[in-house]
């Protein structure tokens, strides 16, 4: 079925950040650098659907308790995932769970105008060095101004980042909020330990291995460009794309300026992310070769199809003028076949 085009809200802004940074080589390092990493698991097991353990003894319950004391109870339940409030529209999905894959935690709650997000990740030296190289880390940050607080600092082998939006916050809150964040980081650093790392064939996999631009072009009826290098680097980008070895694959029309490119397909992944796939909402569907699949609709009319292939989670988005009528299943079947059988030679 032909996937009809859509210039999605945020496409131009997203592409303005494209190709600003070199595509990094994946180097998964979820364990503490202070302790030798354990031997990776060599084969899929039932444990692949269990959330990975953090490399320290701080949980989202601990974070939530600290945040309630600072800004009160949130308007939404606390999620063990990155926030999607005021963020890029491609992010919901695998990217939200990148920190757990890296042996860390991500916790968020609330909605506009009051919401917060806290992440803690181990192997801080490696994460900071990689993000600095790619222009995504500018040193320690402790600031509150104009209804927003931002913190980013290292304590031993952990890096804590926090963003809090609340109209009542200002410069007078830096010490109070900062001390609470520092206490969490200190507790995490003091309890650092080795965790098991589950291997995945998705680590570092090029986008063409999922589906080639030529295959997408055959579906949409015009030439297609593939974007894989994204700028606007950050600690979450470093964790998702380098520590995890995940990919952002973005297939658009081949011609046009930033404002007129049409979006056809987006792919994001979470290696060994079957556990996170299971928590996603959606309608179960059958996709040949996949262990499980479910469909849903995104905030901007995107047609979402989540796939579980073995221990891995792959999310596909297709676009159809916001009506949600386009069917991503034929593309999904091609992706699964490419991953499980191999890419068919050009005819």
């Amino acid at each position: 079925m032909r996937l009809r085009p859509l210039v999605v809200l945020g496409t131009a802004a997203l592409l303005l950040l494209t190709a600003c940074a070199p595509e990094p080589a994946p180097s998964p390092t979820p364990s503490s650098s202070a302790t030798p990493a354990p031997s990776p698991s060599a084969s899929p097991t039932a444990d692949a659907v269990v959330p990975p353990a953090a490399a320290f003894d701080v949980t989202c319950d601990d974070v939530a308790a600290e945040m309630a004391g600072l800004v009160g109870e949130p308007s939404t339940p606390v999620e063990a995932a990155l926030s999607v409030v005021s963020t890029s529209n491609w992010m919901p999905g695998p990217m939200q769970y990148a920190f757990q894959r890296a042996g860390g935690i991500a916790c968020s709650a609330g909605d506009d105008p009051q919401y917060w997000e806290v992440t803690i990740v181990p192997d801080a030296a490696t994460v900071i060095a990689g993000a600095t190289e790619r222009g995504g880390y500018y040193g320690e940050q402790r600031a509150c101004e104009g209804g927003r607080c931002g913190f980013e600092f290292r304590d031993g082998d952990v890096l804590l980042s926090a963003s809090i939006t609340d109209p009542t916050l200002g410069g007078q809150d830096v010490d109070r909020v900062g001390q609470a964040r520092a206490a969490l980081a200190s507790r995490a650093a003091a309890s650092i330990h080795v965790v098991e790392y589950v291997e995945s064939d998705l680590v570092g996999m090029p986008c063409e291995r999922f589906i080639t631009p030529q295959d997408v072009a055959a579906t949409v009826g015009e030439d297609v460009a593939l974007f894989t290098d994204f700028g606007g680097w950050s600690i979450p980008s470093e964790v998702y794309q380098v520590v995890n070895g995940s990919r952002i694959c973005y297939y658009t029309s081949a011609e046009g300026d930033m404002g007129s490119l049409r979006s056809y397909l987006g792919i994001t992944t979470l290696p060994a992310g079957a556990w996170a796939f299971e928590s996603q909402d959606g309608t179960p569907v059958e996709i040949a070769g996949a262990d499980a699949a479910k469909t849903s609709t995104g905030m901007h009319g995107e047609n979402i199809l989540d796939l579980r292939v073995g221990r891995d989670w792959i999310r596909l988005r297709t676009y159809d003028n916001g009506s949600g009528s386009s069917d991503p299943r034929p593309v999904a079947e091609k992706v699964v076949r490419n991953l499980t059988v191999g890419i068919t030679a050009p005819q």
Side-chain angles (χ1 to χ4, degrees):
M1 180 178 291
R2 188 176 189 275
L3 305 183
R4 286 170 284 178
L6 166 68
V7 178
V8 185
L9 179 65
T11 296
L14 176 63
L15 293 179
L16 283 172
L17 299 176
T18 300
C20 297
E23 184 169 344
S27 55
T29 54
S31 300
S32 166
S33 60
T35 311
S39 299
S41 173
S43 60
T45 68
D47 291 340
V49 299
V50 176
F56 41 76
D57 298 334
V58 174
T59 69
C60 283
D61 287 342
D62 299 321
V63 174
E66 288 274 7
M67 293 305 304
L70 292 171
V71 294
E73 294 293 338
S75 59
T76 68
V78 176
E79 298 286 346
L82 292 174
S83 173
V84 295
V85 180
S86 185
T87 191
S88 302
N89 61 27
W90 60 267
M91 179 181 161
M95 172 65 165
Q96 291 180 266
Y97 304 89
F99 280 79
Q100 288 96 317
R101 164 76 173 162
I105 61 173
C107 316
S108 62
D111 206 343
D112 198 26
Q114 184 189 64
Y115 53 96
W116 54 261
E117 174 182 277
V118 176
T119 64
I120 309 176
V121 66
D123 203 10
T126 301
V127 173
I128 289 173
T132 301
E133 178 184 349
R134 281 170 275 278
Y137 183 77
Y138 304 97
E140 184 174 294
Q141 177 185 357
R142 299 174 188 244
C144 289
E145 184 178 0
R148 185 181 183 278
C149 292
F151 295 86
E152 195 156 67
F153 53 85
R154 176 184 176 182
D155 187 323
D157 205 42
V158 304
L159 174 67
L160 180 144
S161 304
S163 175
I164 309 166
T165 298
D166 185 309
T168 66
L169 293 174
Q172 72 279 0
D173 298 298
V174 173
D175 290 342
R176 178 177 68 93
V177 179
Q179 288 171 5
R181 302 282 71 74
L184 286 173
S186 178
R187 178 176 168 183
S191 61
I192 201 80
H193 55 269
V194 174
V195 292
E196 181 182 9
Y197 177 70
V198 181
E199 284 194 326
S200 167
D201 291 337
L202 288 191
V203 173
M205 182 173 287
C207 292
E208 293 86 350
R209 184 71 167 79
F210 297 109
I211 192 166
T212 66
Q214 292 76 22
D215 280 335
V216 178
T219 303
V220 301
E222 67 169 84
D223 290 342
V224 167
L226 168 61
F227 290 92
T228 61
D229 296 347
F230 292 83
W233 210 256
S234 62
I235 292 299
S237 297
E238 185 72 15
V239 171
Y240 177 77
Q241 297 188 65
V242 181
V243 178
N244 289 354
S246 297
R247 288 288 173 264
I248 306 170
C249 309
Y250 191 56
Y251 300 80
T252 75
S253 54
E255 298 182 358
D257 57 29
M258 294 299 183
S260 63
L261 288 175
R262 292 180 293 280
S263 304
Y264 290 130
L265 174 67
I267 298 177
T268 52
T269 66
L270 187 65
W275 63 273
F277 166 91
E278 297 296 336
S279 70
Q280 301 304 299
D281 294 331
T283 302
V285 294
E286 292 289 334
I287 299 295
D291 293 282
K294 57 185 77 173
T295 61
S296 58
T297 302
M299 294 182 292
H300 304 289
E302 308 98 319
N303 305 281
I304 297 171
L305 199 158
D306 288 308
L307 298 168
R308 182 171 71 80
V309 181
R311 70 184 89 191
D312 301 317
W313 175 20
I314 302 144
R315 170 165 285 197
L316 282 68
R317 298 169 184 269
T318 60
Y319 308 90
D320 185 47
N321 296 328
S323 69
S325 62
S326 180
D327 186 0
R329 284 177 290 186
V331 176
E333 290 171 356
K334 182 71 174 179
V335 168
V336 174
R337 189 188 188 285
N338 287 346
L339 291 176
T340 59
V341 179
I343 297 177
T344 305
Q347 301 298 314

